[in-house]
């Protein structure tokens, strides 16, 4: 198996180029918000043809200070983060195992919106910096599954393909 690498490294610099689509290695579900309107909302992995997703499957990876990436939803201009107490403040009640992942406004000072990308072969783990928890599926065998913070095991329900978003 290829060695694990943490960003920023040369093999992850391509993440910051262009728009990306994030796909579950387990279910083939595409990471999208739970509705097509611009609001604070949970993220899910939905097994659906990307052409039916009204461009809600597009993300940008922006390098963050101190390493890692901020992951911005292209259409809604919101950031992938754990649940905040308030949409307007970077205050978190409890970042925990099985805590929800949302699209939040930002970037805010002090926000927990930086993710380390770990690559093994063609797969990636998306880990919340300084927490060690990774984005994974709540219900991996369903057509749609909410995403949540999980322990960083190298199992398919916690691994993602990060691909260039098709036109």
């Amino acid at each position: 198996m290829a060695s694990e690498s943490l960003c920023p490294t040369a093999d992850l610099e391509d993440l910051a180029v262009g728009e990306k689509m994030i796909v579950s290695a387990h279910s083939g579900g595409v990471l999208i918000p739970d509705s097509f309107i611009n609001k604070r909302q949970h993220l899910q992995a939905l097994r659906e043809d990307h052409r039916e997703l009204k461009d809600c499957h597009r993300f940008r990876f922006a390098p963050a200070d101190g390493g890692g990436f901020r992951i911005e939803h292209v259409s809604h201009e919101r950031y992938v983060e754990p649940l905040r107490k308030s949409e307007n403040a970077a205050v978190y009640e409890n970042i925990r195992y099985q805590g929800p992942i949302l699209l939040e406004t930002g970037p805010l000072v002090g926000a927990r919106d930086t993710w380390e990308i770990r690559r093994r072969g063609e797969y990636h783990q998306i880990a919340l910096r300084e927490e060690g928890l990774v984005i994974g599926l709540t219900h991996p065998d369903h057509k749609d599954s909410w995403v949540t913070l999980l322990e960083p095991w190298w199992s398919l329900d916690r691994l993602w393909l990060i691909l260039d978003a098709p036109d």
Side-chain angles (χ1 to χ4, degrees):
M1 210 176 259
S3 65
E4 175 181 337
S5 61
L6 299 176
C7 67
T9 61
D11 63 335
L12 294 174
E13 289 176 1
D14 61 326
L15 291 179
V17 178
E19 296 175 358
K20 304 298 179 194
M21 180 170 71
I22 304 169
V23 180
S24 168
H26 184 296
S27 69
V30 179
L31 191 66
I32 61 168
D34 67 351
S35 74
F36 295 131
I37 58 174
N38 185 4
K39 66 174 188 152
R40 181 183 202 196
Q41 54 191 308
H42 290 257
L43 288 173
Q44 65 177 324
L46 178 66
R47 282 192 307 233
E48 187 69 62
D49 187 314
H50 71 271
R51 292 175 291 250
E52 304 296 322
L53 298 176
K54 302 179 183 177
D55 284 337
C56 280
H57 64 289
R58 296 176 176 277
F59 292 87
R60 283 189 203 98
F61 286 73
D65 294 337
F69 293 90
R70 282 193 179 95
I71 304 172
E72 179 184 12
H73 189 265
V74 172
S75 300
H76 299 328
E77 298 179 343
R78 291 174 175 266
Y79 292 83
V80 176
E81 286 185 50
L83 175 65
R84 291 191 214 145
K85 283 179 94 172
S86 163
E87 188 171 12
N88 300 317
V91 177
Y92 302 87
E93 186 169 334
N94 188 10
I95 295 176
R96 62 180 174 27
Y97 175 75
Q98 293 190 338
I101 305 295
L102 278 76
L103 287 180
E104 299 276 18
T105 57
L108 296 178
V109 174
R112 305 301 304 271
D113 60 358
T114 303
W115 301 88
E116 291 179 344
I117 309 301
R118 301 175 182 136
R119 178 179 280 171
R120 185 175 285 176
E122 63 186 293
Y123 300 111
H124 300 83
Q125 274 188 340
I126 304 172
L128 185 59
R129 187 168 71 187
E130 299 173 4
E131 292 293 331
L133 299 171
V134 300
I135 296 177
L137 303 178
T138 305
H139 303 290
D141 296 324
H142 294 185
K143 180 181 180 214
D144 63 340
S145 176
W146 300 114
V147 296
T148 188
L149 289 171
L150 298 172
E151 295 295 329
W153 302 327
W154 287 94
S155 61
L156 286 178
D157 63 329
R158 298 148 202 238
L159 295 177
W160 302 88
L161 296 166
I162 302 175
L163 310 169
D164 290 332
D167 293 327

